Amino acid sequence: MRHIAVIGAGITGVTTAYALSQKGYDVTVIDRQRYSAMETSFANGGQLSASNAEVWNSWATVLKGMKWMFTADAPLLVNPMPSWHKYSWMAEFLANIPNYEANTVETTRLAIQARNHMFDIARREGIDFDHETRGILHVYRDKEAQDHARKVSALYAKGGLERREVTPEEIRSIEPTLRGTFHGGFFTPSDSTGDIHKFTYGLAEVCRRNGVRFISEASVERVTHTGTGAGGTGVEVSFTVAPDAEDALPRAETLSFDGAVICAGIGSRAIAAGLGDRVNIYPVKGYSITVMLDDEESQSSAPWVSLLDDKTKIVTSRLGKDRFRVAGTAEFNGENRDIRADRIRPLVDWTRRLFPGVNTARVVPWAGLRPMMPDMMPRVAAGKKPGVFYNTGHGHLGWTLSCATAEIIAAKVADTMPVEPPAPLLRMAAE
């Protein structure tokens, strides 16, 4: 049996491990956290949103970003301190503007494919993740934004997504709890929401029952290609395990595998560089708050339909009866996980303005680092060396795209490193 290492236990790592195990591979997942989905896959906006598949590589986005840089509570924050990685990434981002339409259409197709896989997995494995199938409502505050949304919808249609334009009256009918004045909107009934942490953690437990091994609290130092396997495959993964009750000091280990899939989020760039590959991921921080709906008035005043406010770039998800997730912002500030009060405050204020009946006395803030490629497309491909693969760089759509990219990378592994049948079967076939 082929033994594959999966580096990372977030949504892409766990879905990849599941897809590989379903194909008959012996899989080991290595992650620096004690549990699965404890970093970027912990508390995102919750949207499974083909209707948010528009890539950011456009001059309209660039112009908005330049305006936002001079507004304290704007959706975008860029640390002006010089950084070669940041500014070279941005240059490559601009160079991908000509690919805006093609990449938006392709991302839409991938998102639709992904949700079909996810729903099948959740149903087959009995995973409860507060899934709500009430659609996603995009709201726009002026004619210019609505006109742009029509152009984007035409691209979505090319990718196979159906959504309909709605009037201000229809907005109020679709989500009666929403307050504010809007020019119009678009509604995508086929989109949905769910708790990424609950799904990932639940799928990790399924993987364990299926024989997948998890090595936790293990920081991967490097992945080395050895070429000792068939066809020049073979890797070694060196990592440091945190001390536990039996070990007073961290413990260094190196394990050998037939191959490896790198699903390490923002850590993928350094691992790839050590393998001779360029995976130009930049960490783009996003924030969220989880509003605890502790009283009946808050529960009845919070929306069940998922929202995207185009002006503020804030999204929402209802996670069961007593939780309301509000998320947004994009912060270019390097590998910085600080939860800043001045970035959390706009999320709380937005909730109070648009849902005045929701009590925000108990709010749980969070920040995560989205692994973004300059073209806004995930890296789902083989590396230069045999047995090395990547499933990473999903940016703000990791939750949406993960189940499709996991199937794609597992198929690539199977094409180049097929699972060999046991020796008795080989002898039977020969006879």
Side-chain angles (χ1 to χ4, degrees):
M1 182 178 289
R2 300 273 195 174
H3 193 184
I4 306 295
V6 173
I7 313 301
I11 183 64
T12 55
V14 172
T15 52
T16 297
Y18 179 81
L20 288 169
S21 68
Q22 292 290 297
K23 290 183 178 297
Y25 290 91
D26 183 8
V27 181
T28 296
V29 180
I30 306 173
D31 191 86
R32 66 180 180 180
Q33 299 292 342
R34 175 170 289 194
Y35 309 107
S36 301
M38 293 303 294
E39 294 195 17
T40 307
S41 299
F42 185 74
N44 72 350
Q47 291 187 333
L48 294 162
S49 51
S51 63
N52 199 19
E54 180 189 12
V55 298
W56 298 1
N57 308 81
S58 71
W59 286 114
T61 300
V62 173
L63 293 174
K64 281 183 182 179
M66 293 174 67
K67 293 177 182 177
W68 285 335
M69 287 178 67
F70 301 99
T71 305
D73 60 350
L76 175 68
L77 176 68
V78 179
N79 186 334
M81 290 294 292
S83 162
W84 170 252
H85 182 205
K86 178 169 57 184
Y87 290 123
S88 63
W89 185 96
M90 289 181 175
E92 197 170 335
F93 174 92
L94 295 175
N96 275 282
I97 288 177
N99 302 320
Y100 161 79
E101 291 192 5
N103 285 349
T104 295
V105 172
E106 179 57 29
T107 303
T108 305
R109 291 188 181 125
L110 197 59
I112 293 171
Q113 178 185 345
R115 68 188 180 197
N116 294 333
H117 285 303
M118 177 171 289
F119 300 163
D120 287 345
I121 291 171
R123 182 169 49 251
R124 181 168 62 247
E125 304 296 354
I127 300 172
D128 175 17
F129 61 106
D130 293 325
H131 190 209
E132 292 293 336
T133 57
R134 302 175 192 241
I136 294 180
L137 175 64
H138 289 219
V139 294
Y140 306 93
R141 297 173 187 255
D142 54 57
K143 183 178 182 300
E144 181 182 1
Q146 186 84 10
D147 289 344
H148 176 74
R150 292 191 187 101
K151 296 177 182 177
V152 176
S153 284
L155 296 178
Y156 289 165
K158 289 182 180 180
L161 181 67
E162 295 183 6
R163 69 174 190 163
R164 62 185 174 90
E165 190 167 355
V166 293
T167 65
E169 292 74 23
E170 289 174 306
I171 289 174
R172 286 189 286 272
S173 174
I174 292 169
E175 185 42 70
T177 65
L178 178 63
R179 299 292 179 264
T181 302
F182 303 99
H183 180 83
F186 274 88
F187 183 56
T188 311
S190 59
D191 276 346
S192 59
T193 59
D195 188 326
I196 184 174
H197 178 75
K198 289 183 70 173
F199 179 87
T200 308
Y201 189 88
L203 187 60
E205 292 302 300
V206 171
C207 287
R208 283 188 174 89
R209 292 197 296 271
N210 292 344
V212 174
R213 179 189 181 195
F214 283 76
I215 303 177
S216 302
E217 296 185 280
S219 298
V220 173
E221 308 297 336
R222 64 187 177 278
V223 178
T224 306
H225 182 262
T226 61
T228 56
T233 61
V235 299
E236 287 183 345
V237 181
S238 299
F239 53 91
T240 302
V241 181
D244 57 20
E246 297 180 359
D247 297 312
L249 296 173
R251 184 178 74 256
E253 287 192 23
T254 298
L255 296 178
S256 297
F257 301 90
D258 295 299
V261 185
I262 313 304
C263 307
I266 65 168
S268 302
R269 178 172 174 259
I271 294 173
L275 289 163
D277 294 314
R278 185 173 183 270
V279 180
N280 192 19
I281 285 173
Y282 189 85
V284 180
K285 190 193 294 187
Y287 291 85
S288 79
I289 58 172
T290 303
V291 183
M292 310 308 292
L293 307 174
D294 294 327
D295 56 84
E296 290 186 6
E297 182 181 359
S298 294
Q299 292 169 7
S300 62
S301 299
W304 282 97
V305 173
S306 179
L307 304 169
L308 189 151
D309 183 345
D310 182 73
K311 182 178 180 180
T312 60
K313 303 301 181 187
I314 288 176
V315 305
T316 73
S317 296
R318 185 69 177 266
L319 303 177
K321 177 183 177 181
D322 56 2
R323 291 186 301 150
F324 178 43
R325 179 72 49 76
V326 181
T329 78
E331 182 177 310
F332 288 76
N333 195 19
E335 194 170 339
N336 180 301
R337 293 178 172 81
D338 294 344
I339 300 177
R340 294 177 46 166
D342 62 338
R343 305 303 285 168
I344 294 296
R345 173 56 56 186
L347 301 178
V348 177
D349 291 344
W350 182 91
T351 303
R352 290 173 176 172
R353 285 195 306 271
L354 276 65
F355 303 99
V358 172
N359 187 331
T360 56
R362 199 158 70 94
V363 167
V364 181
W366 173 85
L369 300 178
R370 308 178 185 101
M372 284 197 170
M373 297 289 290
D375 60 356
M376 308 298 292
M377 302 295 289
R379 179 71 174 270
V380 189
K384 293 178 181 177
K385 295 180 171 61
V388 175
F389 302 86
Y390 297 92
N391 183 20
T392 189
H394 295 64
H396 68 297
L397 290 175
W399 178 216
T400 297
L401 302 180
S402 57
C403 286
T405 61
E407 289 293 329
I408 292 169
I409 202 63
K412 289 181 182 293
V413 173
D415 285 342
T416 58
M417 301 176 59
V419 175
E420 298 176 358
L425 293 181
L426 288 173
R427 289 195 297 270
M428 291 173 62
E431 295 170 357

